[in-house]
Amino acid sequence: MRKIFLGAALAAIALPLSAQQPARPRSAPEIVKSAPASDWVSISPDDLLVMSLAPDAQGKPRQIILQLLPPPFSQGWIGNMRKLAAAHWWDGGAVYRVQDNWVAQFGDPDEDTPQAKPLPEGLAVVPESEYTAPLPQSRKADLATAMVSMVAGDRTHLPESAPDSYADSGLFNNGWPMATDLERIWPTHCYATIGVGRNDSPDTGTGAELYAVIGTPPRQLDRNIAVVGRVIEGIEHLSSLPRAPGNGMYNDKAKNTPIQTIRLASQLPQADQPRFQYLSTQSQSFRDYVQARVNRRDSFYIYAAGSADICNIPVPIRRAP
Amino acid sequence: MRKIFLGAALAAIALPLSAQQPARPRSAPEIVKSAPASDWVSISPDDLLVMSLAPDAQGKPRQIILQLLPPPFSQGWIGNMRKLAAAHWWDGGAVYRVQDNWVAQFGDPDEDTPQAKPLPEGLAVVPESEYTAPLPQSRKADLATAMVSMVAGDRTHLPESAPDSYADSGLFNNGWPMATDLERIWPTHCYATIGVGRNDSPDTGTGAELYAVIGTPPRQLDRNIAVVGRVIEGIEHLSSLPRAPGNGMYNDKAKNTPIQTIRLASQLPQADQPRFQYLSTQSQSFRDYVQARVNRRDSFYIYAAGSADICNIPVPIRRAP
């Protein structure tokens, strides 16, 4: 990227003086702000869950918006989650576990006890094979090219490929951070990722008990647990909750944070449906954004890393303008 | 590691039946728990800061313990921090900035205003060159061996070497996670890392305004800012504070969390000095711990990643028994 940066500077010399003014490369936020409308993709209200916690100590509402992961990953659990929301099953549940640098977990605080809330009928039992999917043929060629460049010392080939500590490569796929072993592809555990709580294998969980990541990306959970979505607004209502020691379960139920409702956005009145968009990870704007993230050129930085972790390049998401 | 695991299983077959019982590999916590006393290194009270926030809403005390980074890194700022603690300069300060998935920042909430608290005399002005140090010759040979193995597909060679998205290699050095470009070595920004707030370069900050990482490791800050330590106890008192929007500065000073005192542990009465130890990163126990972290064999896991990020292998630290 240092070379590309230099190249841009040289190109500027040939321009008239007035055009030379913005010599400073655009920052990541500037790139996102100026992305054309055509680079933004609407998120269907069928793919959004609206979660309302009880108001905080000051009486302020606490709303959290979750985006569900698109096919082909984890669709069995996600189908269960749509059924649970339609049945209002989560209403009256709670955030009952908050472990520092790990997860905030929610659902039925009486799970695994005789007082457990019965699940709706007809939930799917989902196999572990839904944790991953075959890598599409179309991505293999891009990856091969990008990884050859990476071996040659160029670590800037995101979004086709990113150096990764947990897989052969990180990459972006339909708006989501993923990883691959060049045969299969799977969603990664990043900050604000939503996954399905489970007991030991072969149990894979139902989707009724969920967690949100609130610390270091726990990438060791990739391929061990179902990723089903991410928090796209209001993660601070989970991440700032009081921690409990040990595994984070509150020993006093009075410390649980009650869930008022969780609804599929498409089942809310039209006027109440939140409308969100993500920046297409196939757009030039996203490519520019990635380059700005891997080579910070803000005046604050004296050193540009030349690469970035897949979990440290959050896909831009906004309320529809 | 799959091969090593199989090797251990085969070796067990030759043992008498009674010795075969513990066939399950030890988990990371089990390895730490059974590490011999000789593998634990005492942390000097000259290298510990004890920070007391105002009690929480329930009146509970909030104590945070910071460990200072050992030489040769960042010693100019760390010297300033010892002076600031000795002068009781932080007393009456505050945590005035909490940005989600980023940092909690503390010091003088009036910094950069006419009401700013004067700094003690004699603080050092420290150059950016203290961000990094030459890679010791002794590590270069280990790294060369480990990296050849990594290229051959073995990603388990921590602590000499770890795959890294931000450098040629991650590695552990004297109890701390670090990164290297094979010429120089520097401390990494992981969860709970403490760094020195600064304005644009060539300003490098004094050490009076500090931040703690409370989210995804912001590795892009490596070599751009001074790492001076880490929170080793009580990080939850910072990570669970209410978030403020934008850059996390509270617009209402009533939302700041007051700092009662910050003291160097060695200046407290002997009986009040906290005593901590870290697991030597050169010990066999630590090597075993790393292997257990990169290849989770707990019954929960169905897939062992075979590698781990340097920030996802926290160095074990405990109160001295």
Side-chain angles (χ1 to χ4, degrees), chain A residues 64-80:
Chain A
I64 300 163
I65 312 278
L66 280 62
Q67 181 191 5
L68 300 172
L69 188 67
F73 308 94
S74 304
Q75 294 302 298
W77 298 281
I78 290 169
N80 287 351

Side-chain angles (χ1 to χ4, degrees), chain B residues 26-315:
Chain B
R26 291 182 304 161
S27 70
E30 288 167 342
I31 291 164
V32 173
K33 202 173 171 189
S34 64
S38 55
D39 283 350
W40 293 92
V41 182
S42 290
I43 301 174
S44 163
D46 275 326
D47 292 334
L48 292 176
L49 288 175
V50 181
M51 176 177 182
S52 297
L53 300 181
D56 70 11
Q58 282 74 47
K60 281 198 194 156
R62 290 187 278 191
Q63 190 184 73
I64 300 163
I65 312 278
L66 280 62
Q67 180 191 5
L68 300 172
L69 187 67
F73 308 94
S74 304
Q75 294 301 300
W77 297 282
I78 290 169
N80 287 352
M81 290 166 67
R82 290 198 178 96
K83 282 182 190 159
L84 288 158
H88 299 188
W89 184 84
W90 280 298
D91 301 8
V95 184
Y96 52 77
R97 177 190 182 198
V98 185
Q99 183 177 351
D100 194 63
N101 195 20
W102 189 241
V103 299
Q105 189 166 326
F106 55 94
D108 175 13
D110 294 321
E111 190 221 9
D112 288 336
T113 76
Q115 290 76 43
K117 186 172 189 171
L119 291 165
E121 292 198 10
L123 295 190
V125 175
V126 194
E128 289 162 353
S129 54
E130 282 208 25
Y131 293 164
T132 70
L135 180 67
Q137 199 61 40
S138 61
R139 301 303 299 267
K140 286 191 185 175
D142 289 346
L143 269 172
T145 307
M147 292 186 75
V148 166
S149 304
M150 275 169 64
V151 169
D154 180 353
R155 293 186 289 192
T156 66
H157 274 266
L158 291 156
E160 285 85 359
S161 174
D164 195 277
S165 301
Y166 289 87
D168 288 306
S169 179
L171 74 171
F172 287 95
N173 193 58
N174 290 333
W176 293 74
M178 304 242 165
T180 181
D181 61 3
L182 310 187
E183 290 298 330
R184 300 192 69 81
I185 183 171
W186 56 89
T188 48
H189 276 81
C190 300
Y191 191 86
T193 291
I194 298 286
V196 173
R198 65 164 173 85
N199 295 314
D200 282 0
S201 171
D203 167 48
T204 62
T206 60
E209 309 304 319
L210 298 168
Y211 60 85
V213 172
I214 57 164
T216 304
R219 296 285 309 278
Q220 69 275 18
L221 297 179
D222 293 1
R223 289 185 277 182
N224 279 301
I225 205 162
V227 169
V228 288
R230 61 185 166 198
V231 176
I232 60 171
E233 193 177 272
I235 182 70
E236 68 276 13
H237 299 309
L238 295 171
S239 59
S240 68
L241 290 174
R243 273 52 171 170
N247 75 352
M249 296 284 183
Y250 294 119
N251 52 17
D252 173 4
K253 282 198 179 177
K255 294 183 177 169
N256 290 349
T257 302
I259 297 171
Q260 292 183 328
T261 57
I262 298 184
R263 295 283 182 277
L264 199 61
S266 57
Q267 298 186 334
L268 294 174
Q270 188 90 20
D272 295 345
Q273 293 181 9
R275 297 162 54 84
F276 281 86
Q277 302 175 325
Y278 70 90
L279 188 61
S280 167
T281 49
Q282 293 172 290
S283 68
Q284 185 58 43
S285 296
F286 186 75
R287 294 191 61 86
D288 294 345
Y289 165 79
V290 167
Q291 292 308 321
R293 291 281 300 188
V294 304
N295 286 292
R296 308 292 180 116
R297 297 294 180 191
D298 319 40
S299 54
F300 183 84
Y301 287 87
I302 57 172
Y303 184 86
S307 62
D309 190 86
I310 194 81
C311 281
N312 203 4
I313 306 171
V315 173

Side-chain angles (χ1 to χ4, degrees), chain A residues 19 27 63 66 87 130 144 148 172 219 242 259-260 282 291 295 308 319:
Chain A
S27 70
Q63 190 185 72
L66 280 62
E130 282 207 23
V148 166
F172 287 96
R219 296 285 310 279
I259 296 171
Q260 293 183 328
Q282 292 171 291
Q291 292 308 320
N295 287 292
R319 290 238 171 204

Side-chain angles (χ1 to χ4, degrees), chain A:
Chain A
M1 187 61 186
R2 211 159 260 185
K3 272 178 248 158
I4 297 172
F5 180 61
L6 187 62
L10 291 173
I13 293 172
L15 294 174
L17 195 64
S18 62
Q20 288 184 36
Q21 293 303 324
R24 184 177 64 79
R26 291 183 303 161
S27 70
E30 287 167 343
I31 290 165
V32 173
K33 202 172 172 190
S34 64
S38 56
D39 284 351
W40 292 92
V41 183
S42 290
I43 300 174
S44 163
D46 275 327
D47 293 334
L48 292 176
L49 289 174
V50 181
M51 176 177 183
S52 297
L53 301 180
D56 70 12
Q58 282 74 46
K60 282 198 193 156
R62 290 187 278 191
Q63 190 185 72
I64 300 163
I65 312 278
L66 280 62
Q67 181 191 5
L68 300 172
L69 188 67
F73 308 94
S74 304
Q75 294 302 298
W77 298 281
I78 290 169
N80 287 351
M81 289 167 67
R82 289 198 180 95
K83 282 182 188 160
L84 288 158
H88 298 188
W89 184 83
W90 280 298
D91 301 8
V95 185
Y96 52 77
R97 177 189 183 198
V98 185
Q99 183 177 351
D100 194 64
N101 194 20
W102 189 241
V103 300
Q105 189 166 327
F106 56 94
D108 176 12
D110 294 322
E111 190 221 10
D112 288 337
T113 77
Q115 290 77 42
K117 186 173 189 171
L119 290 165
E121 292 199 8
L123 295 189
V125 175
V126 195
E128 290 163 353
S129 55
E130 282 207 23
Y131 293 163
T132 70
L135 179 67
Q137 199 61 41
S138 61
R139 302 302 300 266
K140 286 191 186 175
D142 288 347
L143 268 172
T145 307
M147 291 185 73
V148 166
S149 303
M150 274 170 63
V151 169
D154 179 354
R155 293 187 289 193
T156 66
H157 274 266
L158 291 157
E160 285 86 359
S161 175
D164 195 278
S165 301
Y166 289 86
D168 286 307
S169 179
L171 74 171
F172 287 96
N173 193 56
N174 291 332
W176 294 74
M178 304 243 164
T180 181
D181 61 3
L182 309 187
E183 290 297 330
R184 299 193 68 83
I185 183 172
W186 57 88
T188 48
H189 276 81
C190 299
Y191 191 86
T193 291
I194 298 286
V196 173
R198 65 165 173 84
N199 295 314
D200 282 0
S201 171
D203 166 48
T204 62
T206 59
E209 309 304 318
L210 298 168
Y211 61 84
V213 171
I214 58 163
T216 304
R219 296 285 310 279
Q220 69 274 17
L221 297 178
D222 293 0
R223 290 185 277 182
N224 279 301
I225 205 162
V227 170
V228 288
R230 61 183 166 200
V231 176
I232 61 172
E233 193 177 273
I235 181 70
E236 68 276 12
H237 299 309
L238 295 171
S239 59
S240 67
L241 290 174
R243 273 51 172 172
N247 75 352
M249 297 283 183
Y250 294 118
N251 53 16
D252 173 3
K253 281 200 179 178
K255 294 184 178 169
N256 290 350
T257 303
I259 296 171
Q260 293 183 328
T261 58
I262 298 183
R263 294 285 181 276
L264 199 61
S266 57
Q267 298 186 333
L268 295 174
Q270 187 89 22
D272 295 345
Q273 293 181 9
R275 296 162 54 84
F276 281 86
Q277 302 175 325
Y278 71 90
L279 188 62
S280 167
T281 49
Q282 292 171 291
S283 68
Q284 186 58 44
S285 297
F286 186 75
R287 294 190 62 85
D288 293 345
Y289 165 79
V290 166
Q291 292 308 320
R293 292 281 300 189
V294 303
N295 287 292
R296 309 290 180 116
R297 297 295 181 191
D298 320 39
S299 55
F300 183 84
Y301 287 87
I302 58 172
Y303 184 86
S307 62
D309 190 87
I310 194 80
C311 281
N312 203 4
I313 307 173
V315 173
I317 297 178
R318 67 177 186 185
R319 290 238 171 204

